[in-house]
Amino acid sequence: LIGMDLGTKEAGAKFIDNLKMLYHVANIGDARSLAIHPATTTHSQLTEEELLAAGVTPGYIRLSIGIEHPDDIIADLKQALDA
């Protein structure tokens, strides 16, 4: 698993929406590459203070990299960041 902070909740959600190959699901341990925006999904019930205490910033994205070709994964992440 890796994570990155895109700064704002809106930027994190937009990044997720622009992914074409990575799946937007919360299950970890899949053979596919996955991406999730915890602030609007798994941790959405928490207050801003609780999110920060849990280490979840508004723009934080969690990635679980699967078995797809690395070039395809990198290309999808790049195009979503550029969008």
Side-chain angles (χ1 to χ4, degrees):
L1 287 175
I2 59 173
M4 60 184 168
D5 191 335
L6 299 177
T8 66
K9 188 183 257 188
E10 294 77 19
K14 182 180 177 186
F15 173 79
I16 293 289
D17 288 342
N18 284 307
L19 290 169
K20 296 182 183 339
M21 187 183 77
L22 275 73
Y23 291 89
H24 180 216
V25 293
N27 61 323
I28 298 171
D30 201 313
R32 303 172 297 175
S33 292
L34 313 172
I36 191 163
H37 182 231
T40 58
T41 56
T42 57
H43 292 66
S44 63
Q45 75 282 1
L46 301 179
T47 66
E48 286 187 35
E49 294 80 22
E50 292 170 327
L51 284 169
L52 292 177
V56 177
T57 57
Y60 181 74
I61 300 295
R62 188 179 70 193
L63 305 173
S64 176
I65 303 304
I67 62 171
E68 299 91 353
H69 193 281
D71 292 343
D72 294 336
I73 296 168
I74 292 167
D76 193 28
L77 294 172
K78 182 174 179 354
Q79 70 78 29
L81 286 168
D82 290 343

